[in-house]
C-alpha cells in the first residue's frame, strides 16, 4: 500500500427504491473525481443500497408473532420491528433495551442490521439480501460502463464491545482481498507474527464513513484513490465460526461456567 491516499465523498439525491445505484454513483464520481480510474475503491452505504434494491419494509404491513411480542416486551421494542429482526436473523443471541443481538450471515450485530435511520418514513431497512453479490454486480457494471477495474465494498456501521460510538465494517466485498494474512511476517523486533490478520476492507470502510456520516449528509458512496490495494477477482469476506470467536466464546463460557475464563482467540 502507498503512504497516502485520497477519499472523495459521492453526494447524491435521496436514494429511492428501484434506483440504479451504479449509474447514480458513476455520475457522482465524475463530478467529484473525474470518474473512476483503475485501482479505485468504491464504498457504498448499505442503507442506500438496500433501499435501492427494494428492501425497505413498511411497519404498517407487519403483523408481529408471539415471539416478537415476547422479545419486544422484554427488550422495550416496537413488536413490529422485533418481527422484522426475527425474520432477518439466523439466531437471536440476547438483547438490551431497544436492541436484539443477532447472528446473521456469519456475523454478530444488533437487530440483524435492521435500521430505521435513513429509512423512508414509517419504514425500516434490513441489510441488502446478498451484499457480496451486490458488490460484484456493481463492480461489473462499472467496468462495463467505464472500463475501470475497481474494488467495491458495502459498508455498515457497527458498535464495538465496551466502546461508545459506531465504526465502519465491510459486509460485502468484490475486487480486493478483504482480510490479509500477516502471519509469518516479522514484527519490529524480528519476531514472527503468529495470529495477525489485517481487516483491510473494514479499515477502508471506516475511513470512508468519516465522509459518509450517519445523519443527513446524503453521501451514500465514497471513492478511495491511491491506496494501492491490488485489484483482484475475489468476492467475499473471510470470517470465523462462532465457536472460534473471542467474544462469542466468552459469552458462551460465562453462561455455562461464570468462573471459567475462555481460551478462544479471535484471529
Amino acid at each position: 500500500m502507498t503512504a497516502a491516499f485520497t477519499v472523495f465523498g459521492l453526494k447524491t439525491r435521496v436514494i429511492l427504491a428501484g434506483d440504479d445505484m451504479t449509474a447514480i454513483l458513476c455520475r457522482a464520481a465524475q463530478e467529484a473525481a473525474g470518474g473512476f480510474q483503475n485501482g479505485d475503491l468504491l464504498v457504498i452505504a448499505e442503507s442506500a443500497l438496500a433501499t435501492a434494491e427494494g428492501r425497505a419494509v413498511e411497519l404498517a404491513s407487519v403483523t408481529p408473532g408471539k415471539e416478537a411480542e415476547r422479545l419486544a416486551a422484554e427488550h422495550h421494542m416496537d413488536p413490529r420491528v422485533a418481527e422484522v429482526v426475527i425474520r432477518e436473523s439466523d439466531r437471536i443471541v440476547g438483547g438490551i433495551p431497544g436492541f436484539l443481538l443477532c447472528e446473521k450471515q456469519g456475523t454478530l450485530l444488533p437487530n440483524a442490521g435492521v435500521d430505521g435511520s435513513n429509512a423512508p418514513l414509517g419504514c425500516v431497512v434490513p441489510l441488502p439480501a446478498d451484499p457480496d453479490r451486490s458488490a460484484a454486480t456493481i463492480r461489473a457494471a462499472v467496468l462495463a460502463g467505464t472500463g475501470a477495474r475497481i474494488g467495491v465494498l458495502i459498508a455498515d456501521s457497527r458498535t464495538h464491545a465496551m466502546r461508545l460510538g459506531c465504526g465502519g465494517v465491510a459486509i460485502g466485498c468484490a475486487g480486493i482481498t478483504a482480510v490479509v494474512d500477516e502471519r509469518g511476517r516479522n514484527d519490529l523486533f524480528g519476531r514472527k507474527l503468529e495470529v495477525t490478520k489485517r481487516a483491510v476492507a473494514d479499515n477502508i470502510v471506516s475511513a470512508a464513513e468519516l465522509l459518509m456520516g450517519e445523519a443527513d449528509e446524503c453521501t451514500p458512496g465514497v471513492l478511495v484513490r491511491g491506496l494501492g490495494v491490488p485489484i483482484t477477482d475475489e468476492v467475499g469476506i473471510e470470517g470465523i465460526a462462532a465457536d472460534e470467536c473471542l467474544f462469542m466464546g466468552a459469552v458462551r463460557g460465562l453462561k455455562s461456567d461464570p468462573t471459567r475464563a475462555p481460551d478462544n482467540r479471535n484471529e
Side-chain angles (χ1 to χ4, degrees):
M1 295 186 190
T2 56
F5 61 94
T6 306
V7 290
F8 302 87
L10 304 183
K11 287 187 173 293
T12 70
R13 59 169 172 75
V14 173
I15 301 300
L16 304 173
D19 277 344
D20 184 337
M21 285 295 291
T22 303
I24 289 173
L25 291 173
C26 280
R27 286 195 295 270
Q30 186 65 44
E31 294 173 2
F36 289 111
Q37 300 177 6
N38 286 334
D40 284 347
L41 305 173
L42 171 61
V43 183
I44 305 171
E46 53 82 16
S47 56
L49 178 62
T51 298
E53 294 179 344
R55 294 276 288 158
V57 178
E58 293 186 10
L59 289 177
S61 70
V62 177
T63 301
K66 290 183 178 180
E67 182 66 4
E69 295 279 7
R70 183 187 70 80
L71 289 171
E74 183 177 348
H75 298 292
H76 310 289
M77 297 175 62
D78 183 328
R80 300 170 301 174
V81 174
E83 177 64 31
V84 178
V85 170
I86 290 171
R87 295 176 189 175
E88 291 293 317
S89 298
D90 296 329
R91 189 167 75 92
I92 306 296
V93 177
I96 61 172
F99 298 94
L100 298 175
L101 186 60
C102 312
E103 283 187 35
K104 177 181 174 68
Q105 297 174 346
T107 61
L108 192 66
L109 69 166
N111 281 356
V114 175
D115 196 355
S117 301
N118 294 311
L121 293 178
C123 297
V124 292
V125 181
L127 298 178
D130 189 338
D132 288 331
R133 183 175 63 186
S134 296
T137 298
I138 292 172
R139 177 174 183 257
V142 170
L143 177 61
T146 70
R149 296 187 72 249
I150 69 171
V152 176
L153 297 88
I154 311 303
D156 192 12
S157 296
R158 300 277 172 85
T159 56
H160 299 280
M162 305 296 290
R163 295 299 298 265
L164 284 173
C166 297
V169 62
I171 62 170
C173 183
I176 69 168
T177 302
V179 180
V180 174
D181 193 344
E182 302 280 14
R183 292 175 298 180
R185 294 187 61 187
N186 291 336
D187 71 7
L188 290 173
F189 300 96
R191 294 184 293 261
K192 294 289 185 184
L193 299 177
E194 296 182 359
V195 299
T196 302
K197 294 184 179 181
R198 188 159 43 139
V200 172
D202 288 346
N203 290 333
I204 294 168
V205 165
S206 289
E209 291 221 342
L210 291 172
L211 295 185
M212 283 181 172
E214 298 286 347
D216 62 354
E217 290 84 357
C218 225
T219 306
V222 169
L223 189 159
V224 181
R225 177 168 293 163
L227 188 57
V229 173
I231 301 299
T232 72
D233 291 324
E234 293 182 55
V235 176
I237 303 170
E238 181 184 4
I240 59 175
D243 59 3
E244 296 175 350
C245 173
L246 170 63
F247 300 110
M248 288 297 291
V251 170
R252 290 175 176 177
L254 290 173
K255 283 183 177 179
S256 61
D257 181 357
T259 65
R260 181 176 62 85
D263 57 6
N264 303 76
R265 289 189 299 178
N266 185 347
E267 298 184 356

